[in-house]
Amino acid sequence: MRRLLLVSNSTLYGSGYLDHCEENIRSFFSRDVKRVLFVPYALHDRDEYAKIARNKFQSLGYEVDSIHEAADPVEAVRKAEAIFIGGGNTFRLLKCLYDNKLVTEIRKRVLEEGVPYMGSSAGTNVATISINTTNDMPIVFPPSFSAIGLVPFNINPHYLDTDPNSRHMGETREQRITQFHEEPGTPCVLGLREGCMLLVEGDKATLLGTTKARLFMRGQPSVEYSPGSDLSFLLTAAQ
Amino acid sequence: MRRLLLVSNSTLYGSGYLDHCEENIRSFFSRDVKRVLFVPYALHDRDEYAKIARNKFQSLGYEVDSIHEAADPVEAVRKAEAIFIGGGNTFRLLKCLYDNKLVTEIRKRVLEEGVPYMGSSAGTNVATISINTTNDMPIVFPPSFSAIGLVPFNINPHYLDTDPNSRHMGETREQRITQFHEEPGTPCVLGLREGCMLLVEGDKATLLGTTKARLFMRGQPSVEYSPGSDLSFLLTAAQ
Ligand SMILES: [Ca+2]
Ligand SMILES: [Ca+2]
């Protein structure tokens, strides 16, 4: 059974790394998982990033193996009990997943073998159909924007409401997602505000956390969902 | 002689389309230019976009031909007296320039034949080496991030200072550009705040407008430049 925990943001204002979702992490990996395979590719300093993730996960009772320390990354995925892909730059992350031939391997392990997958920010973007709705700067050119495809829709992490007092003329987040939906055949985009996350268990999807999410559908008005909402309908590919 | 007017933003808060740079546009195209070829590819509604550009340019004394109305876009570039590429989504714009085989053609006309080029926002991004430092959402996948390459560095339009009061945890603009410079061999990035623009005439580059620009160089501290600054050193490819 597919099991995913897709978190909007790694750090919530005023708290430490993954603090705001530590109870969700515990109940997601539960006592069944002993070791988590961490993917630090979204940040430049992988050693430092692995240290931060390892400290946090150890405090929750899990050992961490960082994939950048593995001799064979594909083999590391093949043997993983659980996978966590951290945030950073989505383009760098996806390019590195392709460079290491991990996209298909992770998809297979999660969808066919039920390996639990946790993503945060960029790690949530790459879990969806594509990275077309990332907020990140395109600092490197990946071979495709298609991603791991663990769910049949897109996510916009760190979703941000329009600031009515802003004098900045760059596009608002809503305008950006609207531009995406001007393109033909584009899927739903779930805007996850900082503080919320999506739990997927098989064909059931539930919004968790403390903030609302906003769902954007091509050619339709957007809809707000509160924590606890059942979003299983998003898992139907025909969305 | 290469002549470029690279504007950060089409509309400044509280004023109309291109109002803040209309004197710069007039002196850039001067009385030599009668007709400007407009490229509306960055926005979805090209007819509407061409109408807005045409109205503004007519008020300044120039006729506008929109490339989307031309039977043969390459031929339209070959015959253009002057080119203006407007803002919108940079990925959509660059993909469409490639789809229509215009990247090389525009480069040739501007660099070899001295056709004046004006860009605003996304139209400024595509004038540089690459779109690696756009702020836009990657809504479509272009065949490359390499752009027209009229200058040997990158620009970040709508450059935005970090808001010390923000509780949002997404990367600041400075962090994004720092991530770009973590990649090997990356060029300078000129952060053009809304309200400023770069004028290039041959080997001379001058900052114009009413706001400062911030220059980011790989492995060096960033530097502020005020309107009127001579930035010709940026045109040396060895930057
Ligand atoms: Ca990010
Ligand atoms: Ca834009």
Side-chain angles (χ1 to χ4, degrees), chain A residues 64-111:
Chain A
V64 162
D65 298 305
S66 184
I67 198 166
H68 82 290
E69 294 162 349
D72 180 346
V74 172
E75 196 53 33
V77 169
R78 284 195 186 129
K79 292 192 301 199
E81 273 184 74
I83 296 167
F84 168 45
I85 304 192
N89 184 285
T90 309
F91 295 88
R92 176 189 277 156
L93 169 59
L94 186 61
K95 180 173 189 303
C96 200
L97 290 174
Y98 276 114
D99 288 349
N100 286 287
K101 305 191 186 339
L102 297 175
V103 174
T104 311
E105 199 60 39
I106 295 174
R107 183 187 300 132
K108 200 175 107 189
R109 296 252 33 222
V110 176
L111 293 186

Side-chain angles (χ1 to χ4, degrees), chain A residues 115-129:
Chain A
V115 169
Y117 177 102
M118 173 177 162
S120 175
S121 192
T124 287
N125 270 310
V126 298
T128 70
I129 296 186

Side-chain angles (χ1 to χ4, degrees), chain A residues 9 11-15 42-45 87-89 91-92 121 131-145 156 158-160 164-171 173 176-183 186 194, chain B residues 9 11-15 42-45 87-89 91-92 121 131-145 156 158-160 164-171 173 176-183 186 194:
Chain A
N9 55 301
T11 310
L12 195 60
Y13 181 80
S15 66
L43 288 186
H44 181 67
D45 189 341
N89 184 285
F91 295 88
R92 176 189 277 156
S121 192
I131 65 162
N132 285 111
T133 56
T134 177
N135 308 307
D136 289 334
M137 194 172 258
I139 60 171
V140 294
F141 185 66
S144 168
F145 287 165
N156 178 248
H158 300 272
Y159 180 73
L160 195 61
N165 297 315
S166 173
R167 297 179 163 224
H168 188 71
M169 300 300 287
E171 294 90 348
R173 193 67 58 83
R176 291 167 195 271
I177 296 171
T178 299
Q179 286 184 340
F180 176 61
H181 280 149
E182 285 168 351
E183 298 297 318
T186 40
E194 293 187 353
Chain B
N9 55 302
T11 311
L12 195 60
Y13 181 81
S15 67
L43 289 185
H44 182 67
D45 188 341
N89 184 285
F91 294 87
R92 176 190 275 157
S121 192
I131 65 162
N132 284 111
T133 56
T134 177
N135 308 307
D136 288 334
M137 193 172 258
I139 60 171
V140 295
F141 185 66
S144 167
F145 287 165
N156 179 247
H158 300 273
Y159 179 74
L160 195 60
N165 296 316
S166 173
R167 296 177 163 228
H168 188 71
M169 300 300 287
E171 294 89 348
R173 193 64 60 81
R176 291 166 195 270
I177 296 171
T178 300
Q179 287 183 339
F180 176 61
H181 280 149
E182 286 167 351
E183 299 297 319
T186 39
E194 294 187 351

Side-chain angles (χ1 to χ4, degrees), chain B residues 16-33:
Chain B
Y17 182 68
L18 296 176
D19 280 357
H20 70 289
C21 55
E22 60 178 36
E23 283 314 310
N24 305 284
I25 297 173
R26 263 194 245 262
S27 73
F28 180 67
F29 290 126
S30 75
R31 288 301 101 204
D32 300 344
V33 169

